[in-house]
Structure formats: C-alpha cells, structure tokens
C-alpha cells in the first residue's frame, strides 16, 4: 500500500540521511526502482512529473500500475507516489486519482500567491492523509538549450511557507535540473544553512540530484536535506545501455528485438544508478 512521505522523511531528517525520489516514465522505470528499494530495504519516493503522467495516459493509469506492481512484486518497504512540480490543478487531479503525496510548485508566483495556494492544499492534503511538498526560490534548468541558473530562496519566505504546515520544503540553493553547466558555482550551503535555521525540523528537499558531487550531497544532508530528487541520471544510464545494445548489433541476433530483451540492459542500468544513489543517500536498511 502506498504511504504518505511524512513518516519516512521525518525519520530521515532525524537520522541524518535522505530518501531518494526517483522519477518514473513507464513500467520498466517503476519496476527497476521498486525492485532496488526492496532489495536494499530502503524507503523510496516515485516521482511523476505532469508530463510523465500525461505520457503514461493519465494519473489513474500510474496509480493502477504502481499499486498493482507493489502487490505482485510483494513490496514491503514504504513507497510514496508523488507528483513532481505540480500545478494547483495537477495536485487536485493526483489527490483524486490516489497519489499518496504531491508537490505544489508555486515558486513562480509572487510569494503572497504561493502562500495562499499552498495553504489551500495543506488543508486538502491533511484531510486526505497525503504529504505535501512546497517550493520557494525556483530551481534552474535547461529549457530549449538555455540554462537558467538556480535561484537562492529567501529564508524568511521559506519560514512563511513551512509554517503553513507543509510536510517538506524545496528551497532553491543554486541547484539545477538536468546536467550542470561547466561554470556552475555549486550549491549555496550558506542559503541552506540559513533556511534550516529558520525552518527547524522541516525535512528539506534537494532537486536536481543528477551530477551533484558526492561531497556536496553529504554536506547538504548534514544541513537538513532529507529528500533528494533524481531524474536525468536514470535517463542517461538507460539511454547509454540501450545505445550499447544496439550498437553491438544485439537487436539483430536471434530474438534480440524482443522488447523484453531490448529494454533489459537499460532497466539494469537504472537499477545500478538507483543502488548507487541509495547507498550515497544512506537510506539502505532504513525501511
Ligand atoms: P535531475 O533531472 O537533475 O536529476 O532533477 C530531478 C528533479 O529535481 C525532479 O524534480
């Protein structure tokens, strides 16, 4: 059964480790992530962006697939199914469809609007038992080849949002989705420290987990990060392994074109990436 991310993240914050959010795109992704979480006895968060939800034909399909898989695979570790960077309407749809956690990304609104909309969702999520992630200070990333530098959140605005009763808070600390550019200045630990001082026990979320050096990940965890999002890195591992299979001509040998064979190296590569992250984040054997 899916669970809210509240308990796993409170434990992670108190225990000084982080739970990974791994974004899913299809059955192979979901199966790979769930099997590694179970193998390593780690709690896990399956992230679904609005685009990925649409790709999988809608949130109900996602809920049906994940619930079915958890039962068939006999998953015993805590699993949260979480909307990533949701709009207000997206959150409502996911709550209705049976997600156990949602993120409302109001970081592009003026702070007063972000507060007002987040507040409404706090009440709704509390009523239904879902965890809610809010965001302050937008996270940079690449869009159409233009890389936006990650903003640094205002710690007072973080406190204002945290005080609304959200479960976890994503604060921009110079992090970026996708690959980091050559001239990236690194995470702003000064901002993270200031945010944690204002928000206390609130589990903090680090987006853009792909390509952040290990020492920065560890330092971020020591400063209150309890959830780390990884998406692009699984996509890169999957693509590289699939490319290798095809370049070696394996799809042309025997029944190598069978999707269960063609997609297997990619799925194994996702598993290896997830294993590495769970080890780095310290969430193994914490289920
Ligand atoms: P990456 O794609 O950089 O790993 O970021 C994932 C993320 O933050 C999803 O919200």
């Amino acid at each position: 059964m899916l669970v809210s991310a509240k308990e796993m993240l409170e434990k992670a914050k108190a225990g000084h480790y982080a739970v990974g959010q791994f974004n899913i795109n299809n059955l192979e992704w979901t199966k790979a992530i769930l099997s590694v979480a179970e193998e390593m006895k780690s709690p896990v968060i399956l992230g679904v962006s609005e685009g990925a939800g649409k790709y999988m034909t809608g949130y109900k399909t996602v809920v049906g697939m994940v619930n079915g898989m958890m039962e068939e695979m006999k998953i015993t570790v805590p699993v949260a199914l979480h909307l990533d960077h949701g709009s207000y309407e997206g959150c409502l749809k996911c709550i209705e469809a049976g997600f156990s956690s949602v993120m409302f990304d109001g970081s592009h609104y003026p702070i007063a609007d972000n507060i007002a909309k987040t507040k409404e969702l706090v009440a709704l999520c509390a009523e239904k038992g879902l965890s809610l992630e809010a965001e302050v200070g937008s996270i940079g990333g690449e869009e159409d080849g233009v890389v936006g530098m990650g903003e640094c959140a205002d710690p007072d605005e973080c406190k204002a949002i945290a005080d609304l009763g959200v479960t976890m808070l994503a604060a921009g600390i110079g992090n970026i989705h996708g690959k980091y550019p050559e001239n990236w200045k690194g995470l702003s630990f000064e901002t993270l420290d200031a945010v944690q001082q204002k928000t206390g026990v609130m589990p903090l979320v680090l987006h853009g987990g792909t390509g952040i050096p290990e020492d920065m990940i560890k330092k971020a965890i020591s400063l209150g990060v309890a959830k780390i999002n990884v998406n692009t890195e699984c996509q890169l591992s999957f693509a590289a392994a699939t490319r290798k299979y095809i370049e070696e001509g394996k799809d042309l040998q025997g029944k190598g074109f069978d999707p269960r064979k063609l997609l297997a190296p990619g799925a194994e590569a996702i598993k290896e990436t997830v294993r590495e992250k769970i080890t780095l984040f310290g969430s193994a054997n914490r289920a």
Side-chain angles (χ1 to χ4, degrees):
M1 204 185 68
L2 291 168
V3 295
S4 133
K6 187 174 165 61
E7 196 183 322
M8 63 171 92
L9 294 182
E10 284 174 357
K11 278 190 189 162
K13 172 106 184 184
H16 305 288
Y17 60 93
V19 177
Q21 172 191 309
F22 300 99
N23 284 44
I24 59 170
N25 292 285
N26 58 19
L27 179 140
E28 280 72 23
W29 247 257
T30 315
K31 184 174 156 186
I33 297 161
L34 286 178
S35 71
V36 172
E38 185 67 26
E39 162 196 311
M40 298 184 79
K41 297 285 167 249
S42 169
V44 76
I45 300 170
L46 301 175
V48 180
S49 67
E50 294 203 349
K54 203 168 158 191
Y55 175 79
M56 290 183 270
T57 76
Y59 301 125
K60 286 187 188 156
T61 309
V62 180
V63 171
M65 174 178 73
V66 173
N67 277 330
M69 238 183 233
M70 285 183 58
E71 190 182 328
E72 302 282 10
M73 292 173 74
K74 301 187 172 53
I75 300 295
T76 60
V77 297
V79 179
L81 180 59
H82 179 74
L83 173 65
D84 189 28
H85 293 283
S87 60
Y88 185 84
E89 293 71 30
C91 287
L92 296 186
K93 280 191 190 157
C94 286
I95 293 170
E96 169 77 26
F99 274 53
S100 63
S101 187
V102 290
M103 171 184 190
F104 168 60
D105 181 356
S107 63
H108 47 283
Y109 290 113
I111 187 69
D113 296 356
N114 191 358
I115 288 176
K117 287 184 164 55
T118 301
K119 200 170 171 181
E120 284 181 37
L121 287 165
V122 165
L124 256 175
C125 288
E127 191 188 310
K128 308 259 183 187
L130 279 81
S131 40
L132 173 66
E133 176 177 341
E135 178 173 326
V136 179
S138 80
I139 287 144
E142 189 176 330
E143 244 175 12
D144 296 331
V146 181
V147 179
M149 284 299 171
E151 278 178 18
C152 281
D154 174 339
D156 289 313
E157 292 185 1
C158 290
K159 177 162 171 52
I161 295 272
D163 286 350
L164 299 174
V166 301
T167 319
M168 61 275 208
L169 181 71
I173 54 167
N175 41 337
I176 297 173
H177 291 126
K179 291 182 183 171
Y180 284 83
E182 290 282 315
N183 61 348
W184 181 53
K185 294 190 190 69
L187 297 175
S188 169
F189 293 113
E190 201 183 314
T191 307
L192 182 58
D193 191 27
V195 170
Q196 172 166 245
Q197 287 192 25
K198 297 260 178 193
T199 58
V201 294
M202 169 74 46
L204 300 175
V205 183
L206 181 62
H207 281 247
T210 298
I212 299 180
E214 289 195 15
D215 57 332
M216 286 196 202
I217 293 279
K218 289 194 172 141
K219 186 154 186 197
I221 294 173
S222 77
L223 290 170
V225 164
K227 172 175 179 278
I228 303 177
N229 294 5
V230 177
N231 182 18
T232 308
E233 204 157 328
C234 290
Q235 299 185 2
L236 292 169
S237 318
F238 175 85
T242 308
R243 165 181 291 278
K244 183 165 179 278
Y245 181 88
I246 294 186
E247 281 184 351
E248 286 173 354
K250 299 228 172 100
D251 58 315
L252 302 173
Q253 296 164 13
K255 282 249 193 177
F257 57 83
D258 177 338
R260 283 174 280 177
K261 292 197 167 70
L262 181 66
L263 299 177
E268 280 307 316
I270 294 172
K271 281 183 167 177
E272 200 41 45
T273 297
V274 174
R275 266 184 214 112
E276 283 167 18
K277 297 298 169 193
I278 287 180
T279 303
L280 174 63
F281 300 166
S283 69
N285 298 313
R286 303 283 191 164

